[in-house]
């Protein structure tokens, strides 16, 4: 079991991301950026909790904070899950391919793990969609002194969603099961649909409150 | 002098970002996401360097890599610069305001530091624009097996640019020097102009190569 990449320093993470080492890659980068978006959404909530000026929204903010913190934990875990599935895939590509039987076993293993390698960025995308949805009420109800941070949270969640989508698509391109590909592609389209517009709505709301 | 936030673990950085502690905030988040974008652009270059299949573009890729690595270092440094200027601003807000003289000195100090607090996210935005521009030739010429990472780099650089812009705008809203505000706002508009379109061009290019 490899160590958790969230226990590396930010500088180390950046160095290893930039290197030709296979991990971390864009999928883990997307998960981290989603986690950064969730963290900023949490920050706005934490700067609202217990403030007399925001007495009316305390219950809403506490509920929003519980959700952003759960999503932050999930997205942080997905940094490592993307790396773990890469290692599994990499091992499958190294399987012997000298005989027809070996070739068939290797191909079956690769195709099997490629489905899991698709599901990880799909889960990153799903979590980012949830973060993005939470940014709207947080920008509306949260501490106005931190409203720009709610806007940054929305920008990061949407960029992480689209980054995860690219990682879904690159895996789907290698999967032979046409039915699986069509189903995942439709699910991905559903996740992406309307999100650029939602991000712009939140951005405009934030700018109007600056 | 506070410690460098890039020496904290990713998990610590996320915890402190999510907390009600004033630093790090959205400006540092933007700088980190810009650095992640630059790192992914570097990764694509590093996966292209020395590969016989990409013999024709070795010189270009080396030149692009030198630029993405310089921008990664710059953006990583800006994480801490955003925090440092926040501490200066916070100290200024705590200056005594019992007499008219004290009030005037406090206001002058705050207004002075707000200009610096505007320049930091402006520098983050400038660096992100440069990263975004580099992503296009990297997506065109770099290792096609890592083309999705060039796309993620572009998505992150553009989101970090717009995140930095929100941090410029929130500072400008508190600055009284109308000439400074108009000049910085015009400069910011120039940085933002056409970048959403450039990001979409790179995204479409990447998807066409998947």
């Amino acid at each position: 079991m490899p160590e958790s990449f969230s226990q590396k320093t930010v500088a180390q993470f950046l160095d290893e991301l930039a290197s030709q080492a296979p991990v971390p890659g864009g999928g883990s980068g997307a998960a981290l950026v989603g986690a950064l978006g969730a963290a900023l959404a949490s920050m706005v909530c934490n700067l609202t909790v217990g403030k007399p000026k925001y007495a009316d929204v305390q219950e809403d903010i506490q509920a929003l904070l519980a959700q952003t913190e759960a999503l932050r934990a999930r997205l942080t875990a997905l940094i490592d899950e993307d790396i773990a599935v890469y290692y599994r895939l990499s091992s499958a590509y190294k399987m012997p391919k000298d005989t027809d039987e070996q070739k068939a076993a290797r191909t079956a293993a690769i195709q099997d793990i490629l489905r899991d390698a698709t599901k990880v960025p799909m889960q990153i995308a799903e979590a980012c969609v949830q973060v993005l949805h939470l940014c709207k009420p947080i920008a509306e109800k949260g501490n106005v002194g931190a409203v720009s941070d709610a806007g940054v949270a929305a920008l990061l969640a949407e960029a992480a969603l689209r980054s995860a989508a690219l990682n879904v698509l690159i895996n789907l391109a290698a999967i032979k099961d046409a039915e699986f590909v069509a189903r995942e592609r439709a699910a991905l389209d559903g996740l992406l649909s309307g999100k650029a517009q939602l991000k712009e709505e939140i951005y405009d709301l934030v700018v109007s409150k600056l």
Side-chain angles (χ1 to χ4, degrees), chain A:
Chain A
M1 191 62 193
E3 63 180 314
S4 170
F5 270 69
S6 63
Q7 293 308 314
K8 297 194 182 252
T9 68
V10 168
Q12 281 175 323
F13 190 95
L14 286 165
D15 283 346
E16 296 183 24
L17 191 63
S19 78
Q20 61 175 325
V23 295
S28 295
L32 174 53
V33 173
L36 289 165
L40 279 165
S42 293
M43 184 182 86
V44 181
C45 294
N46 277 318
L47 288 167
T48 312
V49 167
K51 297 278 162 73
K53 191 178 162 189
Y54 299 96
D56 289 354
V57 297
Q58 288 299 310
E59 215 167 302
D60 293 349
I61 288 289
Q62 290 281 11
L64 290 162
L65 176 58
Q67 293 174 79
T68 56
E69 284 296 89
L71 289 163
R72 176 164 77 93
R74 181 77 193 107
L75 284 159
T76 305
L78 283 161
I79 298 171
D80 289 329
E81 288 179 31
D82 193 69
I83 290 163
V85 79
Y86 171 83
Y87 279 121
R88 285 177 56 212
L89 193 57
S90 181
S91 296
Y93 275 109
K94 286 175 198 151
M95 285 170 70
K97 45 179 180 175
D98 300 321
T99 68
D100 284 352
E101 256 182 18
Q102 285 177 344
K103 278 182 196 164
R106 178 176 173 275
T107 298
I110 290 171
Q111 287 294 314
D112 196 47
I113 300 168
L114 274 171
R115 290 160 191 259
D116 291 344
T118 305
K119 284 175 194 161
V120 174
M122 193 67 98
Q123 286 167 19
I124 296 169
E126 287 165 356
C128 289
V129 166
Q130 292 182 56
V131 173
L132 182 60
H133 277 296
L134 296 170
C135 288
K136 195 172 184 187
I138 290 171
E140 285 167 347
K141 298 174 187 177
N143 191 324
V144 73
V147 73
S148 67
D149 298 300
V152 174
L155 290 165
L156 300 188
E158 199 262 350
L161 162 64
R162 291 191 65 190
S163 299
L166 280 179
N167 282 274
V168 171
L169 292 174
I170 201 168
N171 284 308
L172 288 182
I175 294 180
K176 293 171 185 171
D177 177 348
E179 205 177 305
F180 178 87
V181 171
R183 196 169 60 236
E184 294 299 305
R185 200 180 279 268
L188 186 64
D189 287 345
L191 288 173
L192 289 166
S193 176
K195 299 317 178 302
Q197 195 186 327
L198 175 57
K199 172 200 65 170
E200 297 301 342
E201 279 172 27
I202 298 169
Y203 186 88
D204 290 344
L205 169 68
V206 165
V207 170
S208 77
K209 294 179 93 172
L210 287 178

